[in-house]
Amino acid sequence: MTEKTSLARAPLVAVEISSAWGEDSAAAEALPNWLPDPAFCENCLSSGIRLLRLQGLQSASRQDDATQPLNAEHPPSSLRTYSVSLRFAEGVESKLLNTTYRGRSNPTNVLSFPIAEESEQWPTPLDMSDSGGAEDANCEVEPLGDLVLCPSIIESEASAQHKNLEDHWAHLLLHGLFHLLGFDHIEEDEAEEMESLEIETLRSLGIPNPYLLD
């Protein structure tokens, strides 16, 4: 994998990965050409969290009251950390989930299942942790939810759009993360905000604007 520059240093997001192609799996689909490892996923997701903190952004759909942006006196290690569960699913599983939860009878690249409901308080990446950094055994790690990614769809899209496969994975991991944090792209202004976050985070990872390559 080509080494790329990231604004993420210490991971702010821990991931737990399950895969249809695990050791005890009887997956019907062929093994994907490439699957990201935990370090790749944590780096991508942590970069998204850190960008939100640096820019002082928050989604109006998550929180109405203002929070304080990152203070230079507080290093990244003093910030709240998060966890995300990742599932690498076959097309059949992705289709079933997409049909069940979105009413769309086809597999899709990424599905986001946030823990917070719209009626609840959305977690904000701008919150400072009172209990210390990730290296502190007593530091609370806040779960954000689950992402289900379908490698066969991701590989097909990367090929059709002439994109680097790893870059496309990074984009979809970030796309799913921002959905977990309450961002959306239904309305035009919401879509512009979300795409801007994705583009800027990918740029920090050395990845070109994916929307110019479609």
Side-chain angles (χ1 to χ4, degrees):
M1 174 179 158
T2 305
E3 192 163 321
K4 296 173 179 174
T5 302
S6 170
L7 54 78
R9 295 172 179 84
L12 298 178
V13 180
V15 301
E16 181 177 344
I17 299 176
S18 65
S19 173
W21 297 270
E23 292 181 4
D24 300 325
S25 170
E29 285 185 9
L31 182 70
N33 290 320
W34 182 79
L35 288 174
D37 61 18
F40 178 92
C41 299
E42 289 177 350
N43 186 48
C44 292
L45 299 177
S46 296
S47 293
I49 294 290
R50 185 165 281 107
L51 181 69
L52 289 175
R53 286 174 170 163
L54 291 175
Q55 293 190 350
L57 293 176
Q58 60 183 3
S59 170
S61 65
R62 290 183 283 125
Q63 184 172 332
D64 294 326
D65 58 315
T67 54
Q68 295 299 316
L70 176 66
N71 188 306
E73 296 179 359
H74 296 278
S77 62
S78 68
L79 299 171
R80 185 189 303 272
T81 59
Y82 302 91
S83 65
V84 175
S85 295
L86 303 177
R87 171 68 177 171
F88 300 154
E90 290 184 287
V92 172
E93 182 180 351
S94 176
K95 178 180 178 179
L96 176 61
L97 292 171
N98 203 23
T99 302
T100 302
Y101 293 100
R102 301 178 69 228
R104 302 184 182 182
S105 58
N106 58 278
T108 189
N109 48 28
V110 59
L111 291 165
S112 299
F113 298 95
I115 286 179
E117 300 291 340
E118 290 183 5
S119 60
E120 298 176 353
Q121 174 66 54
W122 286 90
T124 169
L126 301 173
D127 288 339
M128 306 297 293
S129 172
D130 295 328
S131 55
E135 72 279 1
D136 187 339
N138 297 319
C139 176
E140 178 183 355
V141 178
E142 185 170 357
L144 295 179
D146 306 328
L147 298 179
V148 179
L149 299 109
C150 183
S152 62
I153 298 296
I154 295 172
E155 291 183 3
S156 294
E157 290 176 343
S159 177
Q161 298 167 16
H162 306 289
K163 294 177 179 177
N164 177 279
L165 179 57
E166 295 176 27
D167 292 354
H168 194 45
W169 267 96
H171 180 200
L172 293 175
L173 284 164
L174 288 167
H175 187 82
L177 171 70
F178 292 132
H179 273 312
L180 292 181
L181 292 171
F183 292 92
D184 214 333
H185 46 78
I186 297 174
E187 302 295 335
E188 184 175 352
D189 58 338
E190 293 177 338
E192 290 178 358
E193 180 184 23
M194 189 169 175
E195 288 180 10
S196 176
L197 288 171
E198 293 169 6
I199 292 167
E200 183 61 23
T201 309
L202 290 169
R203 184 199 63 77
S204 77
L205 292 164
I207 298 173
N209 182 346
Y211 295 101
L212 296 179
L213 301 177
D214 288 344

